[in-house]
Amino acid sequence: MARITVPEIKSRKVSKGDPPVVMLTAYDAPGARIADSGGVDIILIGDSMATTVLGQPDTIHVTMEQMATHVAAVATTKPDALVVADMPWLSYHLGNADTVRNAAKLIRAGAEAVKLEGGRSRFECVEALISAEIPVMGHLGLTPQSINHFGGYKVQARDDDAAKLLIDDAKGLALAGCFAVVLEAVPGKVAAEVTQDIAIPTIGIGAGVHCDGQVLVFHDLLGFSDRVPKFVRKYANLADDAIKGVSAWAADVRAGTFPSDEESYH
Ligand code: KIV
């Protein structure tokens, strides 16, 4: 597969007959190799790493330094997929200079673009990043860094006023120069309207089938997560398989049947 680039993703629209964008999170080298071998278009080092990998209660609990370390781990695998890094909470809230400096750390670590959450309050910082040659993916709807503001993980843009605000935010992000926008946990009808109204691809997660692409979290898709939202489809049960493997090895050690003669040096 040829390397996927930002301009290629930016021009993808299902309405033009293009294939949907497939984006999956990954947080380390083995995960990135699996995602890339599975043929995804984009690997997202999501701040969901806070909950999936670092055992934290929400995505607010991940730092720039942790993100940069994991971006570097993914980038070492040199995937064909585009490498996009989430900007963690408070890395783009304290002014444009701070935002660009933080995004540059993720780019230097190996990301080719960054993703950040929010609508009209972010237009200016998206423009600042783009003028620093850093491509930006937007993220609207249920933006998990605003969990305390929302009071829980709730479907967004359910009423007409909120849907109109979201649609206007998506248009604004496109105008500010974003190359794609994630729509999380919004009614399918609203996501369909956004998808029709903007020229950049929408990538849905819990946003129905009418987006220009879909994204899921690696650990949810592959069955490592205990509890998953309604919009997740599990394609494997790797946690169960892993537990079976570990307990079979532990039993062999206890029975004295591991290692065998062939598994020993002579
Ligand atoms: O952090 C993440 O994994 C994300 C995706 C769910 C879009 O932002």
Side-chain angles (χ1 to χ4, degrees):
M1 199 166 85
R3 294 227 58 230
I4 308 276
T5 62
V6 165
E8 199 216 312
I9 296 295
K10 188 173 185 180
S11 70
R12 286 239 203 135
K13 285 302 275 183
V14 168
S15 58
K16 289 195 300 172
D18 294 329
V21 177
V22 181
M23 178 160 91
L24 183 64
T25 67
Y27 316 98
D28 55 19
R33 282 192 203 100
I34 289 168
D36 204 44
S37 302
V40 306
D41 299 310
I42 304 176
I43 295 176
L44 172 70
I45 302 94
D47 61 354
S48 52
M49 182 176 85
T51 54
T52 54
V53 172
L54 304 178
Q56 295 294 332
D58 53 50
T59 61
I60 294 169
H61 289 83
V62 66
T63 64
M64 264 302 301
E65 289 65 33
Q66 287 167 326
M67 289 301 299
T69 300
H70 287 260
V71 167
V74 166
T76 55
T77 68
K78 301 197 185 319
D80 288 330
L82 184 72
V83 176
V84 179
D86 251 340
M87 295 200 70
W89 175 66
L90 222 57
S91 69
Y92 55 99
H93 305 70
L94 304 178
N96 291 345
D98 193 52
T99 301
V100 171
R101 238 188 320 270
N102 283 324
K105 285 184 191 153
L106 300 174
I107 298 293
R108 289 232 158 93
E112 295 162 289
V114 297
K115 175 167 83 59
L116 53 77
E117 298 182 0
R120 58 205 65 204
S121 56
R122 307 288 172 236
F123 294 167
E124 211 189 285
C125 87
V126 169
E127 282 167 358
L129 287 165
I130 287 164
S131 65
E133 316 304 344
I134 300 173
V136 186
M137 179 182 282
H139 186 157
L140 293 172
L142 172 51
T143 45
Q145 292 173 12
S146 309
I147 172 77
N148 293 326
H149 186 66
F150 291 146
Y153 295 103
K154 297 174 184 162
V155 177
Q156 300 296 306
R158 276 194 186 278
D159 63 54
D160 288 351
D161 289 348
K164 183 171 177 338
L165 278 178
L166 186 136
I167 293 165
D168 288 346
D169 278 351
K171 288 181 185 167
L173 287 176
L175 206 64
C178 283
F179 71 95
V181 60
V182 168
L183 300 176
E184 178 163 354
V186 298
K189 195 166 153 287
V190 177
E193 204 168 324
V194 174
T195 303
Q196 199 188 324
D197 284 0
I198 62 175
I200 56 171
T202 56
I203 305 178
I205 174 161
V209 77
H210 296 296
C211 293
D212 295 300
Q214 297 291 329
V215 51
L216 279 180
V217 166
F218 185 92
H219 291 63
D220 294 346
L221 168 80
L222 294 176
F224 284 112
S225 309
D226 294 340
R227 290 169 55 233
V228 291
K230 160 191 164 101
F231 55 73
V232 170
R233 189 182 295 174
K234 271 195 199 182
Y235 285 84
N237 275 307
L238 296 194
D240 290 350
D241 289 349
I243 292 166
K244 275 189 208 133
V246 171
S247 55
W249 173 70
D252 285 352
V253 171
R254 290 182 184 122
T257 58
F258 177 89
S260 67
D261 197 45
E262 296 79 55
E263 287 156 342
S264 305
Y265 294 111
H266 297 290

